[in-house]
Amino acid sequence: MSQKKSGGVVFYHGEDAFRREEAVRAFIDAHVDPGLRDFNLDQLRGNDVDVDQLASTLATPPMMSDFRVVVIRDAEPLAGSPRARKLLLETAAAPPPGLAFVISADASESKAKFWKELKKAARATHFRAVSLEDLPGWLVDRAESSLSMTLEHDAARALAQAVGSDLGILQQELAKLNEYVEGDRPVTREDVAAVGTTIPAQDRWDWIDLVAARRFDDAAARLPILLAQQGESGVGITLGLGTMLLRLGVVADEGPRALEKLLPPYQNWLSGKLARLARSWTATEIEDALLGLLRVDRLLKSSPLSDDLVIEEWLLGLEARRREAA
């Protein structure tokens, strides 16, 4: 992640600690000469900060350099000190010449006035957690940008499903794949398995694709395997199905280009696949499937029936209607 050498005060916040830390390191690299790090770089943790010492550090000019960099990671504890809050806000509003100051904290759920004021006073960047649905696209982009490696989307899905949303671990897995795959060929799902990553028996995205392809019997047969996997639930699967059907509905009503505009950046690659799958549905069929899914959602939250029975009933109903229309 590149950074301009601009100094001042920046506030990196949000749930994604991995990308926040990358931004901190990039800021340091942009502002500190490697040979002068001992003179011009102070790295602190919020739990260990003494306010008087911090004030002195922030006021210390750079030595033989344009900037002195001060970094406070895990800055949340400082919000509880009136003196610390005052110092940080005053520094953000009027940083002394030569200061490059980084404040890093989660603070994503906090409604405290201090964090809102700091976002306004500093140059703030929010690092939101990458959602499960965005992970495959993020992995493909990350493989290209950090390793010049082409990762197939099926491989990215398998890796995301196997590892989860810890971006640090995912980056390590990408590095492992980069060492394993020789030459410039794309990294496949088989490569992910070959390096020792345990791929779930049923990929949730592949399963949702079965429903999108109107292979309802196959989806019903694979449903118990999907639900048996750690982290999967009927409610979560229903949310994924609802998103898929709504997107098919956009294609049916407004065409593929409307869907391209609607998809988040890391999911743009899905537009072609969803456009193809939408051809096998009518707008009425999509609407009926969504209404049935609403009933599924209510039953999952209020009925004593098991998740697999509730979703299976919905799938078998779709299959019966498909056969009638054939």
Side-chain angles (χ1 to χ4, degrees):
M1 182 176 181
S2 62
Q3 286 279 358
K4 290 183 178 180
K5 187 174 181 178
S6 53
V9 180
V10 298
F11 176 36
Y12 296 143
H13 62 99
E15 311 93 318
D16 189 346
F18 176 81
R19 290 190 297 158
R20 270 195 289 120
E21 180 57 24
E22 279 197 326
V24 170
R25 292 176 182 174
F27 187 89
I28 293 171
D29 291 342
H31 289 82
V32 181
D33 186 310
L36 298 173
R37 287 173 74 96
D38 291 344
F39 303 102
N40 291 306
L41 176 61
D42 292 276
Q43 303 189 72
L44 309 169
R45 295 279 176 186
N47 276 328
D48 302 325
V49 169
D50 175 272
V51 177
D52 292 329
Q53 184 177 356
L54 176 60
S56 176
T57 300
L58 293 173
T60 302
M63 181 178 294
M64 299 179 290
S65 178
D66 292 333
F67 292 101
R68 180 182 188 86
V69 176
V70 180
V71 178
I72 299 181
R73 294 179 174 88
D74 304 324
E76 289 87 349
L78 297 179
S81 165
R83 292 181 61 225
R85 294 197 302 267
K86 183 173 184 291
L87 173 63
L88 294 180
L89 291 174
E90 288 179 348
T91 303
L99 175 65
F101 184 22
V102 185
I103 304 165
S104 178
D106 183 333
S108 55
E109 301 299 325
S110 175
K111 297 180 180 179
K113 181 180 178 182
F114 166 67
W115 298 117
K116 294 179 181 178
E117 292 177 341
L118 185 59
K119 290 174 189 177
K120 293 179 181 179
R123 299 197 306 277
T125 302
H126 185 191
F127 293 90
R128 291 182 175 85
V130 178
S131 71
L132 178 63
E133 299 301 324
D134 279 342
L135 276 181
W138 181 86
L139 281 164
V140 171
D141 182 72
R142 183 74 181 188
E144 175 63 33
S145 62
S146 69
L147 298 168
S148 299
M149 178 175 72
T150 300
L151 184 69
E152 292 186 351
H153 284 101
D154 283 347
R157 280 182 162 189
L159 190 56
Q161 183 83 57
V163 175
S165 58
D166 188 316
L167 301 190
I169 296 177
L170 286 170
Q171 179 66 35
Q172 293 173 12
E173 293 297 316
L174 288 177
K176 191 191 303 182
L177 285 164
N178 192 47
E179 291 180 4
Y180 174 77
V181 175
E182 296 181 355
D184 297 329
R185 71 172 179 83
V187 178
T188 66
R189 183 187 180 95
E190 289 72 26
D191 294 323
V192 174
V195 298
T197 304
T198 302
I199 299 176
Q202 178 58 64
D203 185 303
R204 80 186 306 268
W205 289 293
D206 285 348
W207 186 87
I208 290 173
D209 284 348
L210 288 176
V211 180
R214 299 174 63 81
R215 293 170 55 187
F216 306 122
D217 280 347
D218 290 339
R222 302 292 295 177
L223 178 61
I225 302 172
L226 178 63
L227 284 171
Q229 293 171 179
Q230 183 176 2
E232 296 292 354
S233 69
V235 172
I237 292 168
T238 300
L239 287 171
L241 288 168
T243 298
M244 177 271 294
L245 287 168
L246 287 170
R247 289 173 174 177
L248 293 179
V250 169
V251 177
D253 290 341
E254 303 177 44
R257 292 200 174 182
L259 179 63
E260 291 176 11
K261 295 178 181 178
L262 179 69
L263 288 172
Y266 283 130
Q267 297 180 46
N268 279 337
W269 65 276
L270 288 167
S271 59
K273 172 184 279 192
L274 290 170
R276 290 190 298 273
L277 291 169
R279 295 175 194 146
S280 63
W281 293 78
T282 66
T284 300
E285 287 169 338
I286 294 171
E287 183 178 357
D288 288 345
L290 280 167
L291 290 173
L293 203 58
L294 285 174
R295 177 176 177 273
V296 167
D297 184 63
R298 288 194 295 269
L299 288 173
L300 288 172
K301 295 173 180 176
S302 61
S303 167
L305 295 173
S306 63
D307 289 6
D308 57 339
L309 285 177
V310 173
I311 299 174
E312 183 183 35
E313 180 194 29
W314 176 74
L315 290 168
L316 294 179
L318 291 175
E319 175 62 16
R321 288 189 288 278
R322 184 192 70 80
R323 292 181 181 182
E324 289 175 3

